[in-house]
Amino acid sequence: MCKDLVNIPVASLKRIPTYLSVFKSLKEKGELYVSSNIIATLLNENASVVKKDLSYIISQVGKPKVGYDINSLIKDIEGFLGYHKLQDAVIVGVGQLGAALLNYNGFEQYGFRIIAGFDIDESKINATSSQKRVLPLEMIKEVVSLNKVKIGIITTPSNTAQQVANTLVKAGVRAIWNFTPSHLEVPKNVVVKNENLATSLAVLSKQLQETLKEN
Amino acid sequence: MCKDLVNIPVASLKRIPTYLSVFKSLKEKGELYVSSNIIATLLNENASVVKKDLSYIISQVGKPKVGYDINSLIKDIEGFLGYHKLQDAVIVGVGQLGAALLNYNGFEQYGFRIIAGFDIDESKINATSSQKRVLPLEMIKEVVSLNKVKIGIITTPSNTAQQVANTLVKAGVRAIWNFTPSHLEVPKNVVVKNENLATSLAVLSKQLQETLKEN
DNA sequence: TAGATTGTTAATCGATTAACAATC
DNA sequence: TAGATTGTTAATCGATTAACAATC
């Protein structure tokens, strides 16, 4: 079977960026090779899962008794995740969180660039505080289709999220990064990634309660 | 077996906040009862998983032919997630993201309040732009132990995250919400929730690539 | 009553873990 | 060579889904 046709499971995919950061810090320390066992120990994981995860993306096999070539691993992961070719995105809703994401330039290292923000609030449009353009909602269609933008980020209040999603999809967006707690209804060929802070908090505080009970 | 002793699986726990937002919007529409089937349809899930999830938290059983009492569900979930008793938290690293989280008051509806921020940068300390106090790093120990703070949020640059985590844990924090891409090493009785935007982006852009390929 | 819906059990599915021959 | 580590297969585990008797 052709390797490209085997899809990596989401569970594995989620671990890949973590591996990258470990490999980079090992490289900084001057290491040239790393074994699945060391990776697993550093990340509190199982060596089998590491070996399987890496098998999805490596271009050269690991060496028995030596491990994997760190430089090669880094190159493979960056290529796999597309960190070298910048993808354009837009963000809708330039409130506190939206403005922080809009003006955060760290995304470029993840192959990802926010080219403009949109807001309904006149006072935020072209506000001097932000280095990037903030435009009125009416211009979403134009900017997205003109620049062939495929990724939209939603940081509006929850009750307008669905409407914004509809607008983005109509304009040609195919992936939505949703920071509102709303569930979004989208066509089958559009992907949604929910970044639900309420969910994270629920998990964190439940686990906190449990650990406090134990000790 | 006593219900309280059966731990809810993390997969279920993650869905609970989503149910809550659906129930609230159904309530606003004037609905009194909802069936597992309707919930499942609204959230693109399976009715069995809904019934099982709810069974972990409901105080009164659903009625055959009618469904679950929405008001009761809302009360149960809010109680289960502890949305009524405010937990104090501190945040370390008041950059763009940190400042946005620090001054975001929406967390209080999730039973969660950030009482102070800490930063190494003198210019950010007690900056007028923020409504909440920003203090120097040296005061972490004092503020955390004095207020018995159990939750710490880390929004520093990646390379200081481990050090900050150590400081927080030493001061008495038992749960860490980590917004840096670094893997944190903590004692067994401390829980960590990673909010890794690089991971989310990786998942989103891979799925985008796949959906673009198909169509 | 008939039929819709619950709560729960059994079957299925997929991911994780363990085991081991192949390799250097 | 002996032993460490790979890549992969088999066993285990847990979560999801389907099925169905009990209920109103």
Side-chain angles (χ1 to χ4, degrees):
Chain A
M1 200 190 300
C2 172
K3 194 173 192 175
D4 287 325
L5 293 178
V6 183
N7 268 344
I8 182 171
V10 175
S12 294
L13 179 52
K14 283 182 175 172
R15 288 186 289 262
I16 304 295
T18 323
Y19 293 143
L20 180 59
S21 89
V22 166
F23 298 155
K24 279 183 171 172
S25 84
L26 286 172
K27 184 183 176 172
E28 267 177 32
K29 285 183 192 152
E31 301 287 333
L32 292 175
Y33 291 90
V34 64
S35 73
S36 58
N37 230 313
I38 290 178
I39 301 169
T41 306
L42 288 172
L43 293 171
N44 301 333
E45 266 161 27
N46 180 290
S48 290
V49 90
V50 172
K51 285 185 276 185
K52 201 169 232 176
D53 287 348
L54 294 182
S55 76
Y56 291 112
I57 51 168
I58 53 177
S59 59
Q60 61 181 77
V61 297
K63 291 179 192 166
K65 237 193 130 171
V66 177
Y68 302 89
D69 178 303
I70 291 180
N71 279 313
S72 174
L73 284 174
I74 291 175
K75 237 186 271 177
D76 285 341
I77 295 182
E78 288 182 338
F80 175 79
L81 294 175
Y83 282 0
H84 296 311
K85 36 185 173 161
L86 276 188
Q87 290 209 70
D88 289 342
V90 296
I91 188 165
V92 185
V94 189
Q96 285 171 338
L97 181 61
L101 296 177
L102 176 62
N103 293 312
Y104 175 58
N105 291 314
F107 286 136
E108 305 214 351
Q109 89 186 80
Y110 304 129
F112 185 83
R113 178 178 51 187
I114 306 179
I115 62 168
F118 297 93
D119 204 288
I120 201 171
D121 182 351
E122 290 273 330
S123 69
K124 283 178 189 146
I125 291 168
N126 283 325
T128 49
S129 70
S130 56
Q131 302 96 312
K132 289 198 185 147
R133 279 179 306 173
V134 179
L135 305 166
L137 292 184
E138 298 80 47
M139 291 186 68
I140 291 178
K141 173 104 191 142
E142 192 184 329
V143 173
V144 167
S145 55
L146 210 66
N147 296 280
K148 295 192 170 53
V149 174
K150 293 289 169 247
I151 301 177
I153 309 169
I154 304 183
T155 46
T156 62
S158 191
N159 56 349
T160 57
Q162 181 63 61
Q163 205 179 316
V164 168
N166 297 345
T167 307
L168 286 170
V169 169
K170 219 186 270 177
V173 157
R174 297 291 292 280
I176 290 178
W177 201 8
N178 175 30
F179 282 80
T180 81
S182 283
H183 172 81
L184 300 177
E185 204 64 50
V186 298
K188 269 200 316 295
N189 63 356
V190 175
V191 299
V192 174
K193 179 84 181 79
N194 293 304
E195 203 71 35
N196 195 333
L197 297 187
T199 293
S200 298
L201 269 179
V203 174
L204 186 69
S205 75
K206 265 295 150 194
Q207 289 177 344
L208 173 60
Q209 278 170 42
E210 270 159 44
T211 201
L212 289 178
K213 229 185 295 169
E214 281 166 22
N215 293 265
Chain B
M1 200 188 302
C2 171
K3 195 173 189 174
D4 285 326
L5 293 179
V6 182
N7 269 342
I8 182 171
V10 174
S12 295
L13 178 53
K14 283 183 176 171
R15 287 185 290 260
I16 304 294
T18 324
Y19 294 142
L20 180 59
S21 90
V22 166
F23 298 155
K24 279 184 169 171
S25 84
L26 286 171
K27 184 184 177 172
E28 268 177 32
K29 284 181 193 152
E31 301 288 334
L32 292 176
Y33 292 91
V34 64
S35 73
S36 58
N37 230 312
I38 290 175
I39 302 169
T41 307
L42 288 172
L43 291 171
N44 300 332
E45 265 162 26
N46 179 289
S48 290
V49 90
V50 172
K51 286 185 275 183
K52 201 168 231 177
D53 287 348
L54 294 182
S55 75
Y56 291 112
I57 50 166
I58 54 177
S59 59
Q60 60 180 77
V61 297
K63 292 180 190 163
K65 236 192 132 172
V66 176
Y68 302 88
D69 178 301
I70 291 180
N71 279 313
S72 175
L73 284 174
I74 291 175
K75 237 185 272 174
D76 285 342
I77 295 182
E78 288 182 338
F80 176 79
L81 294 177
Y83 282 1
H84 297 311
K85 35 184 172 155
L86 276 187
Q87 289 209 69
D88 289 341
V90 296
I91 188 166
V92 184
V94 190
Q96 284 171 337
L97 180 62
L101 295 177
L102 177 61
N103 293 313
Y104 174 57
N105 292 314
F107 286 135
E108 304 213 351
Q109 88 187 81
Y110 304 129
F112 185 82
R113 177 178 53 187
I114 306 179
I115 61 167
F118 298 93
D119 205 288
I120 201 171
D121 183 349
E122 290 274 331
S123 69
K124 282 177 191 146
I125 292 167
N126 284 324
T128 49
S129 70
S130 57
Q131 302 97 312
K132 289 197 185 148
R133 279 178 307 173
V134 179
L135 304 167
L137 292 185
E138 299 79 45
M139 292 186 68
I140 291 178
K141 173 104 191 145
E142 192 185 329
V143 173
V144 166
S145 54
L146 210 67
N147 296 279
K148 295 192 170 53
V149 174
K150 294 289 170 245
I151 302 177
I153 310 170
I154 304 182
T155 46
T156 61
S158 191
N159 56 349
T160 57
Q162 181 63 60
Q163 206 178 315
V164 168
N166 297 345
T167 306
L168 287 170
V169 169
K170 221 187 269 176
V173 156
R174 297 290 292 279
I176 291 177
W177 202 9
N178 176 30
F179 282 80
T180 80
S182 282
H183 171 82
L184 299 178
E185 205 62 53
V186 297
K188 269 201 314 296
N189 63 355
V190 175
V191 299
V192 174
K193 179 85 181 80
N194 294 305
E195 202 71 35
N196 196 332
L197 297 186
T199 293
S200 299
L201 268 177
V203 174
L204 186 70
S205 75
K206 263 296 150 190
Q207 289 177 344
L208 173 61
Q209 278 170 41
E210 269 160 43
T211 200
L212 288 178
K213 229 185 292 169
E214 280 165 21
N215 292 267

